[in-house]
Amino acid sequence: MATEISLENVWFHYYPQTESREKWAIQGVDLIFQQGEYVSIIGSNGSGKSSLACLINGLFIPTNGNLVINGQHIEDDQGRWELKQRIGMVFQNPDNQIVAPSVLDDVAFGLENLGVAREEMQKRIPHVLELVGLSGLEKKEPHHLSGGQKQRLAIAGVLAMQPDVLIFDESTSMLDPDGRHHILQLMRKLHLSGKTIIHITHQATEAFLADRLVVLNKGKVMLDQNREALYANSAQLTNWGLDVPISIELHQNLLAKGWNLSHRIENEEQLVSEIWTYM
Amino acid sequence: MSKIVIGQYIPGNSILHQLDPRAKLLFVFFFFFLIFLANNTATYLVLYLFVITIILLSQIRLSLFLRSIKPVLFIILFTVILHLILTKGGEALFVTPLFTIYEEGVRQAIFIASRFLILVVMASLLTFTTSSLDLTDALEILMGPLRKVRVPVHELALMMSIALRFIPTLWEETEKIMNAQLARGANLDSGNIFKRLVAYIPIFIPLFLSSFRRAEELAMAMEARAYRGGVGRTKYRMLQYTYKDYFLIVIFLILVLVIGWLRV
Ligand SMILES: Nc1ncnc2c1ncn2[C@@H]1O[C@H](COP(=O)(O)OP(=O)(O)OP(=O)(O)O)[C@@H](O)[C@H]1O
Ligand SMILES: [Mg+2]
């Protein structure tokens, strides 16, 4: 299955009746996400990232404009409900998205909601627990898990529903470096398996792991570029209150000084080793 | 922390642990009526014998039962004293200017204490050998028919399960906030009751606020996982009766017959 998401001139207001122009959370966004893309959405606090995420999977209804999935307008409750299966969402706080008192039951929660047969659940659950690295913890109570493990449990719960698209709304921001690393690796793995990954973050370093970056500011799309293009002039990120990763800044400056480094740097370690060999 | 055990489930693999929670729940429910049929020494002895047998079968330490009796000890004592003083009949055993204790009073007091004791021990046996999650499931299924009269059975069960999930989390959070306030010099356990209540306000307010935020986020996460109420839902957890559970019916019938025959 493939899911192509298209937002057509989407506007969103939390309290549309009050109509104050300032308070539009999303203002005329046009975006298309193809199946299998790895996209980061970055923006400062209050830029509308979470609102956009909720619009994409039908948690919120656009005040104006359309959500179109594979050419079909999503208009009614049933349509939005079906979307929940195709587009999974992982939130920021690992604690507040685990429903059930045990790991196993929590993974089952989404499947129960979809009305999946029990035999099918028994096949899917061990598989996703394996995938996120929680095998053996089936009987554990969620409050005995680490933050990173809880977040992986949340991912397992979503993956069991077999979505085409996964949205991560700052899902790494409350984790320690180890937990964060785990989740980022998992995103990569899922991307390679063909899922669309939409990673919302205000960490530029994490955003640059994606192939495409969308910059959001005050509810508008400021920039929508592939990694290479933005990498080459990342300084502009500061316009919207975002940091430029130090490694990128350094890399760019060294290139400008005429250092003979490769133009694509994946991470800090690679940069360090390139500088090392150059010197 | 985590010393609070909700439902006080004691994991194990005894025959009582293996029974279906619905069967246990029903058994204990009907057993409570049976207790009220007992009315002489013979019938109470039968009940005691039965309870002692299943305590042994449960493989649960006796001290745990004693601990669960402790909170109701006061009520038991109170009713015992009441019966001792107020019940007349038989020989006068102990005469004081204020009251007289009769033979019948002693008998009634012992019976009533036994009744309480057996009730508490049976209820503890149920919660000791059944996880809260199993109990919730059992309740949801057994109450199922009430759906017809618009009791939101599924929602109640889900609420219970969410409560089970979040009580430890909220407890941890309470401790964190308490420590933070203590570190700032809050004084939580001195002064009169009013002063103490006031001292707890800075703990409850942040706790309430964060619980509301939690509830909101959880509701959103549930909706994102396609939750839309109980309609059309399947269940992962499944309960299954085995021959052991049917055997409970036999045991119960035997108890009814024996007690019915022995009582006066
Ligand atoms: N529940 C709400 N009710 C009213 N306004 C809201 C609500 N949630 C967000 N907003 C407003 O909508 C705008 C966009 O918020 P949103 O949460 O989408 O931003 P964000 O980019 O996710 O921010 P953050 O980095 O803090 O998560 C902000 O101006 C915010 O104040
Ligand atoms: Mg947000």
Side-chain angles (χ1 to χ4, degrees):
Chain A
M1 278 251 278
T3 298
E4 188 202 275
I5 302 162
S6 164
L7 298 161
E8 296 178 346
N9 190 23
V10 166
W11 291 70
F12 181 75
H13 198 297
Y14 276 90
Y15 307 102
Q17 300 84 0
T18 55
E19 274 295 338
S20 54
R21 196 108 190 93
E22 291 300 306
K23 288 283 178 65
W24 285 94
I26 294 294
Q27 312 191 37
V29 165
D30 283 292
L31 279 171
I32 293 181
F33 301 101
Q34 307 282 357
Q35 182 63 48
E37 275 196 283
Y38 185 175
V39 192
S40 278
I41 299 178
I42 40 176
S44 48
N45 287 116
S47 57
K49 305 181 296 294
S50 299
S51 310
L52 186 67
C54 292
L55 285 161
I56 294 174
N57 84 338
L59 278 173
F60 293 172
I61 305 170
T63 314
N64 292 314
N66 293 311
L67 173 63
V68 183
I69 303 293
N70 291 346
Q72 296 236 324
H73 284 238
I74 303 298
E75 271 157 354
D76 56 351
D77 286 344
Q78 181 64 20
R80 274 187 290 273
W81 183 74
E82 282 163 11
L83 217 54
K84 307 295 192 306
Q85 184 272 312
R86 316 183 74 143
I87 305 176
M89 184 131 146
V90 182
F91 296 84
Q92 178 173 23
N93 190 332
D95 253 324
N96 299 352
Q97 46 187 323
I98 296 171
V99 187
S102 87
V103 167
L104 214 53
D105 292 296
D106 192 69
V107 179
F109 179 74
L111 298 175
E112 294 178 324
N113 294 334
L114 292 176
V116 171
R118 196 164 174 274
E119 296 70 42
E120 176 68 17
M121 293 193 212
Q122 280 168 327
K123 267 187 247 152
R124 289 194 200 178
I125 295 173
H127 178 245
V128 292
L129 284 177
E130 167 91 56
L131 194 69
V132 302
L134 289 180
S135 297
L137 302 179
E138 288 82 358
K139 293 259 182 290
K140 276 257 187 204
E141 292 169 30
H143 70 279
H144 288 146
L145 300 178
S146 71
Q149 285 174 326
K150 279 182 207 163
Q151 204 60 304
R152 279 185 276 152
L153 172 56
I155 296 174
V158 171
L159 280 179
M161 296 165 79
Q162 302 187 333
D164 296 327
V165 183
L166 280 123
I167 306 174
F168 294 85
D169 188 357
E170 305 201 32
S171 305
T172 57
S173 63
M174 292 177 77
L175 306 181
D176 57 17
D178 219 33
R180 178 184 299 244
H181 181 69
H182 239 105
I183 303 294
L184 291 170
Q185 259 187 337
L186 201 53
M187 282 188 203
R188 176 108 238 140
K189 190 156 117 187
L190 292 169
H191 165 57
L192 292 176
S193 76
K195 308 254 185 223
T196 307
I197 304 290
I198 300 176
H199 180 193
I200 293 170
T201 173
H202 54 233
Q203 284 254 330
T205 325
E206 286 187 8
F208 273 95
L209 296 171
D211 302 323
R212 170 183 165 199
L213 288 90
V214 174
V215 176
L216 215 58
N217 190 39
K218 296 193 178 127
K220 290 186 181 133
V221 174
M222 294 288 119
L223 200 80
D224 183 355
Q225 283 185 334
N226 66 28
R227 183 182 182 279
E228 277 70 27
L230 186 56
Y231 197 101
N233 50 61
S234 52
Q236 55 179 321
L237 286 177
T238 52
N239 294 346
W240 305 294
L242 297 164
D243 292 330
V244 179
I246 234 171
S247 60
I248 296 181
E249 214 165 4
L250 181 62
H251 182 213
Q252 292 301 314
N253 284 336
L254 292 176
L255 283 177
K257 288 235 155 49
W259 284 42
N260 185 18
L261 303 172
S262 53
H263 280 260
R264 182 173 170 128
I265 299 283
E266 289 287 347
N267 50 38
E268 281 115 31
E269 288 88 58
Q270 193 192 340
L271 182 63
V272 170
S273 73
E274 288 229 2
I275 294 173
W276 187 251
T277 36
Y278 184 79
M279 295 201 307
Chain B
M1 210 334 274
S2 303
K3 263 169 236 120
I4 292 190
V5 195
I6 306 119
Q8 321 183 31
Y9 174 57
I10 318 283
N13 204 21
S14 74
I15 175 109
L16 295 193
H17 286 86
Q18 293 166 23
L19 289 170
D20 187 290
R22 289 167 298 177
K24 280 188 270 190
L25 204 63
L26 285 174
F27 186 88
V28 170
F29 180 76
F30 287 113
F31 190 84
F32 283 173
F33 290 101
L34 196 63
I35 297 175
F36 287 90
L37 281 185
N39 62 358
N40 59 6
T41 316
T43 43
Y44 273 106
L45 279 180
V46 170
L47 288 181
Y48 269 120
L49 206 67
F50 176 73
V51 170
I52 289 168
T53 316
I54 55 174
I55 286 179
L56 291 178
L57 284 177
S58 75
Q59 298 169 0
I60 288 167
R61 272 178 298 132
L62 218 57
S63 58
L64 286 170
F65 290 97
L66 296 182
R67 207 192 291 167
S68 62
I69 291 169
K70 228 194 214 158
V72 286
L73 210 57
F74 177 73
I75 303 176
I76 297 181
L77 273 177
F78 183 71
T79 36
V80 161
I81 292 171
L82 226 57
H83 272 84
L84 277 179
I85 298 174
L86 297 179
T87 314
K88 297 186 168 54
E91 213 176 306
L93 297 176
F94 189 74
V95 186
T96 71
L98 278 177
F99 58 87
T100 311
I101 293 176
Y102 293 95
E103 200 185 348
E104 188 60 24
V106 175
R107 250 167 59 89
Q108 285 304 326
I110 292 176
F111 286 171
I112 204 82
S114 304
R115 197 173 279 179
F116 265 115
L117 222 62
I118 295 171
L119 268 168
V120 174
V121 169
M122 282 303 278
S124 316
L125 267 167
L126 179 67
T127 54
F128 285 163
T129 63
T130 320
S131 74
S132 323
L133 211 53
D134 274 341
L135 267 183
T136 310
D137 276 349
L139 277 172
E140 181 175 4
I141 296 173
L142 292 175
M143 312 255 277
L146 292 183
R147 245 182 291 240
K148 293 225 170 61
V149 288
R150 308 226 163 180
V151 178
V153 177
H154 158 75
E155 283 76 5
L156 288 173
L158 187 69
M159 268 166 58
M160 256 172 88
S161 150
I162 290 176
L164 289 174
R165 148 78 186 90
F166 276 96
I167 284 169
T169 307
L170 290 179
W171 183 247
E172 263 166 43
E173 188 163 5
T174 313
E175 284 212 321
K176 237 183 254 166
I177 297 174
M178 260 165 89
N179 288 336
Q181 301 294 13
L182 285 173
R184 292 188 200 170
N187 193 349
L188 295 178
D189 28 40
S190 69
N192 59 27
I193 183 100
F194 183 70
K195 267 196 182 139
R196 274 197 235 175
L197 276 179
V198 171
Y200 269 93
I201 291 176
I203 289 165
F204 282 123
I205 290 180
L207 193 64
F208 270 127
L209 290 179
S210 93
S211 302
F212 280 126
R213 207 197 46 241
R214 262 184 213 291
E216 215 168 284
E217 287 186 23
L218 186 71
M220 192 118 129
M222 284 168 66
E223 202 187 333
R225 282 210 264 162
Y227 180 71
R228 56 168 175 184
V231 187
R233 255 183 131 239
T234 44
K235 285 278 288 177
Y236 173 67
R237 296 171 58 81
M238 204 178 64
L239 298 174
Q240 192 134 40
Y241 289 120
T242 64
Y243 71 94
K244 290 172 195 147
D245 301 303
Y246 295 115
F247 197 59
L248 270 188
I249 302 177
V250 178
I251 293 176
F252 188 77
L253 287 179
I254 294 175
L255 276 176
V256 170
L257 285 177
V258 171
I259 286 177
W261 178 56
L262 288 176
R263 78 192 292 263
V264 285

